[in-house]
Amino acid sequence: MDHHADTHRTDLMTITRFVLNEQSKYPESRGDFTILLNHIVLGCKFVCSSVNKAGLAKILGLAGDINVQGEEQKKLDVISDEVFVKALISSGRTCLLVSEENEEAITVPPPQRGKYIVVFDPLDGSSNIDCGVSIGTIFGIYMVKDPAKVTLEDALQPGNRMLAAGYCMYGSSCTFVLSTGNGVNGFTLDPCLGEFILTHPNIKVPRKGKIYSVNEGNAKNWDEPTTKYVENCKFPQDGSPPKSLRYIGSMVADIHRTLLYGGIFMYPADIKNPNGKLRVLYEVFPMSYLMEQAGGQAFTGKQRALDLVPEKIHERSPIFLGSYDEIEQMKELYAESKANGA
């Protein structure tokens, strides 16, 4: 055993240490936000463990229920939702929870109530569980106006009021990506220590990208700007090489690759889904927040994604996320289409 090497492992920047360092920048802080994040991290560790042993524990497959989105719930979906609801309520720092798996928002009982609202998708990409493709948890955090008078309206805030957002990806490694409004940082779970270690400090999405990510199976139903953009990815008119298509079908995995390598992720509106398919509160907003914090952009086809004001907790929206220049191209195509009356 290399004892000398092991001594240096105590110098690692763990996520707990990182968040405490951030907290120290605000002398007035009471630590509530830090406690909440620690409970989210604990939930992610639990889900990661469950995902890793899912096959052995026979918890793969369907639970037999249909969630509010009309999707069959996987057993791990149900487990993950329960884990995060319990972790968030027990933190004593939340007042309202919105989960993809629950039709109604969950109001925290007064004795355990705090000042934060958490919106989350406990297990995104769960249709990929059985084949071992990366899946993940997505979350966003808001502040409530008045903890004594919590209403559903408190959850229907635009994304530009979000205090923090992040995701945890369960794949070849367990990666936790977080922004509290000061850039984006990535942490990887060390299974020996049971700690998330800072491995991707200050993530910046490249200004341009060589990858586009979209479900081309829906191409016949796309609008004109999306069709034109993808056509230009394949057959560039400026002599540049064509872009590569990469589409995993798990939003967390596709966004993670886009953050690191650049490019664009698209889930546009189409004839079949005129309002888009991804949910605003716990998919579009957190990922848009992260992308902007990393120097990219997020666009709905009509406006900046974070400026949307949701009217329902499970509202959907089209979304284009990615490198700054790629989203600029998409904006230009939509402006051109609007000018031509398309």
Side-chain angles (χ1 to χ4, degrees), residues 64 119 131 180 205 212 253 302 307 325:
V119 294
C131 59
T180 56
V205 62
Y212 72 102
K302 294 181 179 178
D307 290 340
D325 287 356

Side-chain angles (χ1 to χ4, degrees), residues 14-16 37-53 83-84 137 168 170 174 176 188-190 193-197:
T14 66
I15 193 166
T16 303
L37 282 175
N38 280 337
H39 277 73
I40 291 173
V41 168
L42 177 62
C44 290
K45 288 179 183 177
F46 190 97
V47 173
C48 179
S49 175
S50 297
V51 168
N52 287 340
K53 61 189 179 187
V83 164
F84 280 103
T137 298
C168 189
Y170 316 112
C174 183
F176 190 93
T188 302
L189 183 63
D190 183 330
L193 297 176
E195 288 279 6
F196 280 103
I197 309 299

